[in-house]
């Protein structure tokens, strides 16, 4: 499965638009994805507690799908009703009673249920623990898995210490792959060299001039060209679209393609739901995709 994500890895580094790319990716990978099942979407656009509105057509389509009357209601009102309906639907699927409960209360119960499910999958005991306590244990457990993959010792280390060691190991690994010496260099200097080398490598492939230019400007051009190239390869039109919109569509298509490769049905599922299933079925692919796709979109803001 690594082949399917190769383009994302480099593009993610480039689109970060700065030098501390590895630490940024680590933050994205190791943060507990407690919100993944609570990101109610339509057409892959974030919705619900994240507050991304989507377009009017999508809002009306989603309302109709949920049996919500739309006459005389503005987008904000419909979004609130859609959000409430989606949370109630999720609660019922989890076996949570919904009668007489406000949306906020249901949302808390759903969140706790999802966090407990994630914790149990990691072998963490959940009895008597609240969301925050479980969140911290899940974060530490995921960091330990990542540390093990990098050959980093976890003995007696808390989350902060592990994060620092993982960052160092990740940078050293990237530097080695790019032929960069790490001797006597601090993490900031090393990350700058990695960023510059990555941009130069990709620029050369795309025939983009580097000499005499600010490397960050080159990175933006490389990112733009890569996104448009990937869109073309995936059959996505770019006419009249902003780069961020193109990048979002590329991400959605890649999620769907990766899901299919893993044997996951994509029928009637949002991008968020597919990402959650990818994580459950293949956590290694999920970690790479989550971090790099996040960086792709971040770089185009």
């Amino acid at each position: 499965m690594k082949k399917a994500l190769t383009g994302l890895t480099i593009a993610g580094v480039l689109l970060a638009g700065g030098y501390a790319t590895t630490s940024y990716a680590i933050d994205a990978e190791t943060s507990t994805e407690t919100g993944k099942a609570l990101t109610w979407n339509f057409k892959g656009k974030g919705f619900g507690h994240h507050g991304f509105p989507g377009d009017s057509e999508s809002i009306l389509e989603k309302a109709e799908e949920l049996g919500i009357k739309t006459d005389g209601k503005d987008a904000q009102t419909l979004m609130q009703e859609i959000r409430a309906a989606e949370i109630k639907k999720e609660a019922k699927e989890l076996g949570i009673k919904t009668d007489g409960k406000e949306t906020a209360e249901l949302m808390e119960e759903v969140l706790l249920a999802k966090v407990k499910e994630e914790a149990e999958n990691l072998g963490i005991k959940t009895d008597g623990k609240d969301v925050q306590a479980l969140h911290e244990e899940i974060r530490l457990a995921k960091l330990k898995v990542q540390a093990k993959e990098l050959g980093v010792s976890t003995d007696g280390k808390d989350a902060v210490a592990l994060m620092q060691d993982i960052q160092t190991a990740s940078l050293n690994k990237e530097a080695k792959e790019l032929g960069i010496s790490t001797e006597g260099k601090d993490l900031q200097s090393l990350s700058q060299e990695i960023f510059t080398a990555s941009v130069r490598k990709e620029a050369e492939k795309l025939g983009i001039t580097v000499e005499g230019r600010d490397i960050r400007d080159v990175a933006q051009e490389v990112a733009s060209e890569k996104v448009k190239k990937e869109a073309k390869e995936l059959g996505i039109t770019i006419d009249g679209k902003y780069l961020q919109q193109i990048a979002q569509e590329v991400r959605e298509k890649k999620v769907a393609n990766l899901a299919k490769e893993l044997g996951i049905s994509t029928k009637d599922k949002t991008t968020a739901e597919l990402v959650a299933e990818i994580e459950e079925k293949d956590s290694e692919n999920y970690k790479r995709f989550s971090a790099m796709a996040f960086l792709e979109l971040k770089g185009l803001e």
Side-chain angles (χ1 to χ4, degrees):
M1 289 303 120
K2 288 184 179 180
K3 184 178 178 182
L5 298 169
T6 301
L8 280 177
T9 302
I10 282 294
V13 171
L14 299 178
L15 286 166
Y19 297 121
T21 55
T22 303
S23 60
Y24 206 172
I26 289 171
D27 285 340
E29 287 183 11
T30 56
S31 60
T32 304
E33 297 297 324
T34 52
K36 67 178 183 294
L38 294 173
T39 306
W40 294 283
N41 289 275
F42 28 176
K43 292 186 177 178
K45 298 181 178 66
F47 188 72
H49 70 297
H50 284 304
F52 299 141
D55 56 76
S56 297
E57 181 184 348
S58 296
I59 293 171
L60 291 171
E61 183 181 315
K62 189 63 178 180
E64 182 178 351
E65 179 187 318
L66 293 168
I68 297 171
K69 294 181 179 179
T70 60
D71 293 345
K73 298 176 182 177
D74 61 17
Q76 186 63 36
T77 301
L78 285 173
M79 284 164 57
Q80 290 174 349
E81 292 189 30
I82 290 170
R83 178 170 172 268
E86 289 282 23
I87 293 171
K88 189 172 184 178
K89 178 182 176 182
E90 180 106 23
K92 287 181 177 178
E93 290 173 355
L94 291 167
I96 298 170
K97 294 181 179 179
T98 62
D99 294 343
K101 295 179 181 178
E102 296 291 331
T103 299
E105 183 181 357
L106 277 178
M107 190 171 179
E108 287 181 7
E109 289 189 43
V110 169
L111 177 58
L112 180 59
K114 297 303 292 186
V115 173
K116 281 186 174 181
E117 180 182 16
E118 185 176 12
E120 288 167 358
N121 288 337
L122 290 167
I124 297 169
K125 294 181 180 180
T126 62
D127 293 344
K129 298 175 182 176
D130 60 17
V131 170
Q132 184 59 35
L134 288 171
H135 179 102
E136 291 173 1
E137 288 193 47
I138 289 169
R139 179 168 179 261
L140 183 58
K142 288 188 172 183
L143 281 170
K144 285 183 177 180
V145 171
Q146 193 175 359
K148 185 178 180 181
E149 291 170 354
L150 290 166
V152 174
S153 172
T154 62
D155 295 342
K157 296 177 184 177
D158 61 13
V160 174
L162 268 180
M163 181 79 79
Q164 291 173 341
D165 287 351
I166 288 170
Q167 181 186 29
T168 300
S170 295
L171 279 172
N172 287 334
K173 181 181 178 182
E174 287 183 63
K176 184 178 181 181
E177 291 171 354
L178 290 166
I180 298 170
S181 172
T182 61
E183 190 174 351
K185 297 173 184 175
D186 59 27
L187 295 185
Q188 181 65 19
S189 298
L190 193 55
S191 63
Q192 288 177 3
E193 286 193 45
I194 289 170
F195 175 77
T196 300
S198 299
V199 172
R200 283 180 172 276
K201 184 177 179 180
E202 285 301 299
E204 185 178 345
K205 290 180 183 177
L206 294 168
I208 295 172
T209 301
V210 177
E211 301 307 322
R213 299 177 62 191
D214 187 312
I215 198 66
R216 288 165 293 189
D217 292 335
V218 178
Q220 288 298 318
E221 185 177 348
V222 169
S224 174
E225 290 303 311
K226 285 189 69 65
V227 167
K228 287 187 284 188
K229 181 181 177 181
E230 288 188 331
K232 184 178 180 180
E233 292 171 352
L234 292 167
I236 298 169
T237 178
I238 66 172
D239 298 345
K241 296 176 182 176
Y242 289 107
L243 278 175
Q244 190 172 11
Q245 183 182 352
I246 298 169
Q248 176 69 26
E249 290 185 32
V250 167
R251 176 181 179 272
E252 291 168 6
K253 190 66 174 285
K254 284 193 171 185
V255 169
N257 288 346
L258 180 54
K260 288 176 183 177
E261 288 181 29
L262 293 172
I264 298 170
S265 172
T266 60
K267 186 177 180 181
D268 298 326
K269 293 177 183 175
T270 65
T271 299
E273 289 169 340
L274 289 176
V275 168
E277 289 192 45
I278 289 169
E279 178 189 18
E280 185 176 346
K281 190 158 188 175
D282 191 331
S283 61
E284 186 64 24
N285 264 319
Y286 167 77
K287 285 190 293 182
R288 288 194 188 90
F289 186 85
S290 179
M292 295 308 112
F294 172 77
L295 289 173
E296 281 187 331
L297 294 178
K298 188 70 178 175
L300 291 172
E301 288 180 352

